[in-house]
């Protein structure tokens, strides 16, 4: 009986995960908007009216793994000071954090392989930044205009 119950719970969890989906674009409590692409989702945009300054992107949103940050997702969000990116994200889109002048801290996980062009351009608040060894590509001018950036490792 105990085995049957365990199997039933496991099967139910698998079914729920298999049918996880978003209704178009959905927003979390921080003002981060997500879009489903196949069986994963991506950070699509950020509500510029949000008062949240420290963003934590989750590993999953509504049962779907978060795999990337789309182009222009946080573009111009000057009130953001820090962003924590989960180890499920593999790509940071072009202009994703462009002109986020208040941004001083971003934790880029080792899962990230691509940092596209202008991704962090004009983030004038950066003092230091660590790029994981797994990053394969850093796009054109990804860190252009980061005037305060003294250490890039």
């Amino acid at each position: 009986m105990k085995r049957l119950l365990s199997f039933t719970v496991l099967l139910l969890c698998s079914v729920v995960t298999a049918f996880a989906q978003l209704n178009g674009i959905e927003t979390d409590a921080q003002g981060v908007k997500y879009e489903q692409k196949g069986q994963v989702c991506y950070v699509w945009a950020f509500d510029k009216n949000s008062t949240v300054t420290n963003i934590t992107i989750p590993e999953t949103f509504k049962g779907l793994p978060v795999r990337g940050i789309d182009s222009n997702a946080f573009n111009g969000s000057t009130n953001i000071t820090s962003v924590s990116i989960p180890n499920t994200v593999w790509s940071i889109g072009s202009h994703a954090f462009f002109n986020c002048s208040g941004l001083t801290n971003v934790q880029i996980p080792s899962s990230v392989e691509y940092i596209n062009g202008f991704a962090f351009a004009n983030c004038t608040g950066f003092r230091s930044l660590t790029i994981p060894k797994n990053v394969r590509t850093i796009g054109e001018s990804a860190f252009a205009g980061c005037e305060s950036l003294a250490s890039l490792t």
Side-chain angles (χ1 to χ4, degrees):
M1 181 69 171
K2 193 173 187 180
R3 226 180 205 173
L4 179 60
L5 181 60
S6 294
F7 176 75
T8 304
V9 169
L10 180 62
L11 182 62
L12 182 58
C13 288
S14 297
V15 169
V16 168
T17 302
F19 293 108
Q21 67 178 30
L22 304 182
N23 284 324
I25 306 297
E26 293 197 27
T27 307
D28 70 11
Q30 302 174 101
V32 177
K33 299 178 182 190
Y34 299 86
E35 177 183 35
Q36 183 175 352
K37 295 180 182 180
Q39 291 303 307
V40 299
C41 69
Y42 287 75
V43 173
W44 184 72
F46 179 68
D47 181 354
K48 303 293 190 282
N49 295 319
S50 175
T51 58
V52 176
T53 58
N54 299 311
I55 303 294
T56 300
I57 298 170
E59 289 184 3
T60 62
F61 182 71
K62 301 229 175 165
L64 296 170
V66 178
R67 291 289 189 242
I69 301 171
D70 277 347
S71 297
N72 297 300
F74 293 93
N75 188 335
S77 299
T78 57
N79 61 319
I80 296 173
T81 58
S82 76
V83 177
S84 179
I85 301 171
N87 226 5
T88 56
V89 169
W90 64 274
S91 175
I92 299 173
S94 65
H95 298 86
F97 295 96
F98 185 78
N99 281 334
C100 291
S101 56
L103 192 58
T104 59
N105 183 31
V106 172
Q107 297 169 357
I108 301 173
S110 61
S111 60
V112 171
E113 295 183 15
Y114 304 98
I115 299 174
N116 289 293
F118 297 91
F120 294 98
N122 296 334
C123 291
T124 55
F126 280 143
R127 305 275 183 263
S128 66
L129 189 63
T130 301
I131 307 295
K133 293 177 183 176
N134 291 355
V135 172
R136 295 180 186 193
T137 303
I138 297 177
E140 177 185 355
S141 301
F143 300 97
C146 295
E147 299 163 352
S148 300
L149 189 58
S151 172
L152 183 62
T153 54

